[in-house]
Amino acid sequence: MRGHEPRSTSSCAACKLLKRRCSPNCIFAPYFRSDEPKKFAEVHKVFGASNVSKILVEVPEEQREDTVNSLAYEAEARLRDPVYGCIGAIALLQRKMIQLQHDLALARACLARYVATPSVIVSSDDHHRVITGPFDDFPVDCGVSFDSFNQNISYELNQEAI
């Protein structure tokens, strides 16, 4: 765990940003190293140093690193999307999962329908019936369009990146 590593003599990222002297018992030092100034700056901008300090004091020491990582993730998401934060990302992923489950169900139904009806090919030369295996001439689209879903995913990912 990073909290138990020996500290260098330099100030932590929090004390540097707040322009104060970093004491040996600084609550921020184990979690906001001096080489990660952006991490604390984002957390400070969204939650405020005082609130983060209060949260860290209330959380048991063995859970503080996870707490800081959660705060940093939420702060980054909140800065990207001030209205929804990380809930927007969760909702987007849930919508994608529902769409993928729907597409998978359609593909399974199509496959089941195709496997249930054997293909029969009649040869014009000798008028013999030849029964082919279920996957010999499997239709590509089976009446289901996945292109619109792929375009929708690409659009949403591009919008999220912007």
PDB file of all heavy atoms in Angstrom, residues 22-34:
ATOM      1  N   CYS A  22       4.288  20.994   4.004  1.00  0.00           N
ATOM      2  CA  CYS A  22       3.809  19.631   4.198  1.00  0.00           C
ATOM      3  C   CYS A  22       4.421  19.075   5.477  1.00  0.00           C
ATOM      4  O   CYS A  22       5.639  18.907   5.582  1.00  0.00           O
ATOM      5  CB  CYS A  22       4.184  18.766   3.004  1.00  0.00           C
ATOM      6  SG  CYS A  22       3.358  17.168   2.974  1.00  0.00           S
ATOM      7  N   SER A  23       3.571  18.772   6.440  1.00  0.00           N
ATOM      8  CA  SER A  23       4.053  18.253   7.724  1.00  0.00           C
ATOM      9  C   SER A  23       4.213  16.730   7.641  1.00  0.00           C
ATOM     10  O   SER A  23       3.631  16.084   6.769  1.00  0.00           O
ATOM     11  CB  SER A  23       3.072  18.625   8.829  1.00  0.00           C
ATOM     12  OG  SER A  23       1.833  17.981   8.609  1.00  0.00           O
ATOM     13  N   PRO A  24       4.957  16.141   8.556  1.00  0.00           N
ATOM     14  CA  PRO A  24       5.133  14.679   8.545  1.00  0.00           C
ATOM     15  C   PRO A  24       3.823  13.914   8.744  1.00  0.00           C
ATOM     16  O   PRO A  24       3.693  12.780   8.298  1.00  0.00           O
ATOM     17  CB  PRO A  24       6.085  14.418   9.712  1.00  0.00           C
ATOM     18  CG  PRO A  24       6.763  15.711   9.955  1.00  0.00           C
ATOM     19  CD  PRO A  24       5.812  16.785   9.544  1.00  0.00           C
ATOM     20  N   ASN A  25       2.842  14.522   9.387  1.00  0.00           N
ATOM     21  CA  ASN A  25       1.566  13.831   9.611  1.00  0.00           C
ATOM     22  C   ASN A  25       0.470  14.359   8.670  1.00  0.00           C
ATOM     23  O   ASN A  25      -0.716  14.270   8.989  1.00  0.00           O
ATOM     24  CB  ASN A  25       1.133  13.972  11.063  1.00  0.00           C
ATOM     25  CG  ASN A  25       0.967  15.414  11.491  1.00  0.00           C
ATOM     26  OD1 ASN A  25       1.356  16.327  10.776  1.00  0.00           O
ATOM     27  ND2 ASN A  25       0.398  15.613  12.664  1.00  0.00           N
ATOM     28  N   CYS A  26       0.852  14.854   7.509  1.00  0.00           N
ATOM     29  CA  CYS A  26      -0.098  15.372   6.519  1.00  0.00           C
ATOM     30  C   CYS A  26      -1.020  14.241   6.056  1.00  0.00           C
ATOM     31  O   CYS A  26      -0.556  13.180   5.634  1.00  0.00           O
ATOM     32  CB  CYS A  26       0.663  15.957   5.329  1.00  0.00           C
ATOM     33  SG  CYS A  26      -0.397  16.509   3.981  1.00  0.00           S
ATOM     34  N   ILE A  27      -2.315  14.475   6.150  1.00  0.00           N
ATOM     35  CA  ILE A  27      -3.297  13.451   5.786  1.00  0.00           C
ATOM     36  C   ILE A  27      -3.294  13.163   4.283  1.00  0.00           C
ATOM     37  O   ILE A  27      -3.627  12.065   3.844  1.00  0.00           O
ATOM     38  CB  ILE A  27      -4.711  13.851   6.255  1.00  0.00           C
ATOM     39  CG1 ILE A  27      -5.699  12.704   6.077  1.00  0.00           C
ATOM     40  CG2 ILE A  27      -5.233  15.047   5.504  1.00  0.00           C
ATOM     41  CD1 ILE A  27      -6.036  12.016   7.333  1.00  0.00           C
ATOM     42  N   PHE A  28      -2.876  14.149   3.473  1.00  0.00           N
ATOM     43  CA  PHE A  28      -2.888  13.992   2.018  1.00  0.00           C
ATOM     44  C   PHE A  28      -1.643  13.291   1.469  1.00  0.00           C
ATOM     45  O   PHE A  28      -1.696  12.668   0.413  1.00  0.00           O
ATOM     46  CB  PHE A  28      -2.995  15.361   1.338  1.00  0.00           C
ATOM     47  CG  PHE A  28      -4.236  16.122   1.676  1.00  0.00           C
ATOM     48  CD1 PHE A  28      -4.170  17.364   2.290  1.00  0.00           C
ATOM     49  CD2 PHE A  28      -5.480  15.614   1.370  1.00  0.00           C
ATOM     50  CE1 PHE A  28      -5.310  18.074   2.582  1.00  0.00           C
ATOM     51  CE2 PHE A  28      -6.639  16.313   1.658  1.00  0.00           C
ATOM     52  CZ  PHE A  28      -6.552  17.550   2.270  1.00  0.00           C
ATOM     53  N   ALA A  29      -0.532  13.420   2.167  1.00  0.00           N
ATOM     54  CA  ALA A  29       0.766  12.978   1.641  1.00  0.00           C
ATOM     55  C   ALA A  29       0.809  11.522   1.161  1.00  0.00           C
ATOM     56  O   ALA A  29       1.356  11.255   0.088  1.00  0.00           O
ATOM     57  CB  ALA A  29       1.862  13.241   2.664  1.00  0.00           C
ATOM     58  N   PRO A  30       0.270  10.572   1.900  1.00  0.00           N
ATOM     59  CA  PRO A  30       0.382   9.182   1.417  1.00  0.00           C
ATOM     60  C   PRO A  30      -0.416   8.903   0.140  1.00  0.00           C
ATOM     61  O   PRO A  30      -0.150   7.932  -0.559  1.00  0.00           O
ATOM     62  CB  PRO A  30      -0.179   8.343   2.567  1.00  0.00           C
ATOM     63  CG  PRO A  30      -0.191   9.233   3.748  1.00  0.00           C
ATOM     64  CD  PRO A  30      -0.323  10.627   3.238  1.00  0.00           C
ATOM     65  N   TYR A  31      -1.391   9.739  -0.170  1.00  0.00           N
ATOM     66  CA  TYR A  31      -2.321   9.439  -1.257  1.00  0.00           C
ATOM     67  C   TYR A  31      -2.195  10.378  -2.454  1.00  0.00           C
ATOM     68  O   TYR A  31      -2.618  10.034  -3.555  1.00  0.00           O
ATOM     69  CB  TYR A  31      -3.760   9.466  -0.721  1.00  0.00           C
ATOM     70  CG  TYR A  31      -3.859   8.693   0.560  1.00  0.00           C
ATOM     71  CD1 TYR A  31      -3.982   9.347   1.777  1.00  0.00           C
ATOM     72  CD2 TYR A  31      -3.758   7.301   0.566  1.00  0.00           C
ATOM     73  CE1 TYR A  31      -4.034   8.640   2.969  1.00  0.00           C
ATOM     74  CE2 TYR A  31      -3.799   6.589   1.752  1.00  0.00           C
ATOM     75  CZ  TYR A  31      -3.939   7.262   2.949  1.00  0.00           C
ATOM     76  OH  TYR A  31      -3.975   6.560   4.122  1.00  0.00           O
ATOM     77  N   PHE A  32      -1.627  11.561  -2.249  1.00  0.00           N
ATOM     78  CA  PHE A  32      -1.424  12.515  -3.332  1.00  0.00           C
ATOM     79  C   PHE A  32       0.062  12.849  -3.403  1.00  0.00           C
ATOM     80  O   PHE A  32       0.527  13.833  -2.830  1.00  0.00           O
ATOM     81  CB  PHE A  32      -2.248  13.794  -3.092  1.00  0.00           C
ATOM     82  CG  PHE A  32      -3.736  13.556  -3.074  1.00  0.00           C
ATOM     83  CD1 PHE A  32      -4.424  13.519  -1.873  1.00  0.00           C
ATOM     84  CD2 PHE A  32      -4.428  13.360  -4.256  1.00  0.00           C
ATOM     85  CE1 PHE A  32      -5.791  13.298  -1.849  1.00  0.00           C
ATOM     86  CE2 PHE A  32      -5.799  13.143  -4.236  1.00  0.00           C
ATOM     87  CZ  PHE A  32      -6.474  13.111  -3.028  1.00  0.00           C
ATOM     88  N   ARG A  33       0.802  11.973  -4.084  1.00  0.00           N
ATOM     89  CA  ARG A  33       2.249  12.151  -4.182  1.00  0.00           C
ATOM     90  C   ARG A  33       2.585  13.410  -4.961  1.00  0.00           C
ATOM     91  O   ARG A  33       1.791  13.915  -5.755  1.00  0.00           O
ATOM     92  CB  ARG A  33       2.871  10.934  -4.841  1.00  0.00           C
ATOM     93  CG  ARG A  33       2.665   9.658  -4.057  1.00  0.00           C
ATOM     94  CD  ARG A  33       3.432   8.506  -4.666  1.00  0.00           C
ATOM     95  NE  ARG A  33       3.556   8.626  -6.109  1.00  0.00           N
ATOM     96  CZ  ARG A  33       3.330   7.659  -6.954  1.00  0.00           C
ATOM     97  NH1 ARG A  33       2.966   6.489  -6.513  1.00  0.00           N
ATOM     98  NH2 ARG A  33       3.479   7.842  -8.247  1.00  0.00           N
ATOM     99  N   SER A  34       3.792  13.881  -4.778  1.00  0.00           N
ATOM    100  CA  SER A  34       4.219  15.128  -5.429  1.00  0.00           C
ATOM    101  C   SER A  34       4.298  14.991  -6.950  1.00  0.00           C
ATOM    102  O   SER A  34       4.191  15.983  -7.662  1.00  0.00           O
ATOM    103  CB  SER A  34       5.574  15.574  -4.881  1.00  0.00           C
ATOM    104  OG  SER A  34       6.546  14.580  -5.136  1.00  0.00           O
TER     105      SER A  34
END
